[in-house]
Amino acid sequence: MASTSSRSTAVAEANPAQAEAAGAAAAATITVRVARFDPEKDKALRWQEFSVPTAPGMTVLDALVSIKEHQDGSLAFRSSCRMGVCGSCGMYVNGKPRLACQTQVGELGQVIEVAPLPNHDVIKDLVPDLSRTFEHHRAIKPYIIRDDEAEMASPTREFRQTPEEMERYLQFAYCLKCSLCVAACPTAATDPLFLGPQALAQAYRYTADTRDCGWQERFDVIATDHGIFNCHLAGACSEACPKGVDPALGIQLMKRTLVKGPAHRAPAPIVEEPKSVIDESKRPQAPPPTV
Amino acid sequence: MRETRLWQLHLFSALALIVLLSLHMGVQHYEKILTGLGLVGENVRDFASVAGRAGSAWWNVLYVLLLGFALYHGLYGTRRILHEVWYSRRATRVIDTLVVVFGLAVFIYGLWGILQATRMGGAL
Ligand code: SF4
Ligand code: FES
C-alpha cells in the first residue's frame, strides 16, 4: 500500500490531469452478479450482486477474491496458479466458459455475470464437479503404452522422435484439463455419457505420439456408443479452449486414424547407446609419473 | 471397430444418396435435362412411362438401392439423436434393437412395393 500511495503522489506532482484520471479509475466499481448454490439449502442457482472496486489489470478471479475477502467469506470458487496453468478456475463468465484468472474485468463491461461451468454438476457456488471429465480422460488411457514392458518398467534411454513427429501431437499436449471445452460442447449438454472433447482430443494426442502403440486399446474405448461418432462438429470446444488446443481438429484426426490406422505402425525405438566422439588411439597420453 | 464401420457406411450412404437422388429428382422433376441428354424419353411422368420404368430391372435396382441407403442414412442419424435423448446403457441397447427392427420392416415393405410395381409394369 505504501508504495502505491507514494507513486500516486509522484504522478499528481508531475501531471494533475493524469492524477485525476488515475483517481477516477481507482474509485470505479463494477457490478458482479454471482450465481450461488448451497447443496444443503438450495434447489437451484440463485443470483447475488456485489459492487466491487476495480483496479488496473484486475481479473475476474481478483474480483471474486475481493468479494470473498471484503464482502462475503462464504463464496466458494476454485483457483490455484492464478496464471492460466492449472486449469482450476474455469467459470461461465458473461455467457462464455473462461478461465477467471485470465479474463480481465476491463474487457467485460460494467456488469459481469459469473456462474459455474455448464454441463457439470455444481458442488457449491462456482465450483463445478469435474469428476466426469476426469473419468472420461482416464478411460482413454492418457499415457504412453508400449509392448516392451521391461523398458517401460525400468527405462534405459530415451525413445527416438523427430521434431516433425512431435509437432503432430504437440498442441494437444497443452491441455490443462480445465473442462471449458466440455462446458461449451452441445453434445455433452444432452448426453452425459458422451466422452467429450477433452478426452477425445487426448485420445488423439497419445495415438499420434510415435512412442506409443496403444491405439487399439484406445479405439476400443472411443469407437463406441456415446463415443467419438456422437460429436456434432459444432466446434464450440475449440473456440472455448484457453490454451489454443483445437479439440474439434483432434476429433477429426482421430476419426481418420480410426479408419486408416495411425501414421506410425511400430513404436519409436530407443535411441542408440551414445558412441564416444574421441578416437581413443589419438587421445594424448599423460606423461609418465616423475616421482 | 463396429461403430467405425457403421459410421463409414453412413458417409458412403450420403455419397450414394447424392447420385441416386440426383437421378430420381432428375427424372421426376427436371426431365428436360435428362431428355436433353437423351437418357430418358419424353413425358416421363405419363402412366406408360412410369409403368415402363417399373418394369425395368435397372430402375428397380436403382430404387432398391435408394430405399436401402436412404433408410440406413436416416436411421443412423435418428439412432444417434435417440442415444442422446435416452442415454442409459440399457436405453442404448433398446434403441439399437428398435432401429434395426424398424429399418428391416420398412425395407422389406418397400421391397415388396417395388416388386408389386415391377409385376404391374411387366404386365402392361
Ligand atoms: S482442450 Fe482446452 S478447453 Fe478442453 S480441457 Fe484441454 S485446455 Fe481445457
Ligand atoms: S487459477 Fe490456475 S488456471 Fe486459473
Side-chain angles (χ1 to χ4, degrees), chain A residues 53-98:
Chain A
T54 58
M58 187 185 221
T59 63
V60 172
L61 182 60
D62 293 334
L64 294 173
V65 170
S66 162
I67 293 171
K68 191 168 174 79
E69 281 179 356
H70 303 294
Q71 302 189 48
D72 187 343
S74 70
L75 177 65
F77 55 90
R78 195 191 276 135
S79 75
S80 177
C81 69
R82 301 185 176 202
M83 54 194 287
V85 172
C86 69
S88 58
C89 67
M91 296 171 196
Y92 200 54
V93 182
N94 282 13
K96 281 190 181 157
R98 313 185 206 228

Side-chain angles (χ1 to χ4, degrees), chain A residues 186-187 190-193 216 219-220 223-227 229-230 232 252 255-256 258-259, chain B residues 1-5 7-8 76 79-89 92-93 96:
Chain A
T187 314
T190 52
D191 179 3
L193 299 180
Q216 193 54 56
F219 288 0
D220 294 344
T224 50
D225 311 317
H226 310 279
F229 300 114
N230 279 57
H232 291 192
Q252 293 314 303
K255 283 182 185 169
R256 186 174 71 184
L258 277 163
V259 174
Chain B
M1 289 315 275
R2 178 176 149 260
E3 282 298 325
T4 309
R5 298 280 166 264
W7 175 72
Q8 277 181 283
Y76 181 91
R79 167 181 175 253
R80 285 261 165 252
I81 293 167
L82 292 176
H83 279 178
E84 282 177 31
V85 181
W86 294 293
Y87 45 73
S88 76
R89 294 275 171 221
T92 303
R93 280 196 301 276
D96 285 358

Side-chain angles (χ1 to χ4, degrees), chain A residues 2-36:
Chain A
S3 67
T4 315
S5 53
S6 58
R7 198 164 52 235
S8 329
T9 322
V11 169
E13 280 165 11
N15 185 342
Q18 237 181 23
E20 201 181 318
T29 57
I30 47 162
T31 303
V32 184
R33 291 190 77 220
V34 184
R36 305 297 305 265

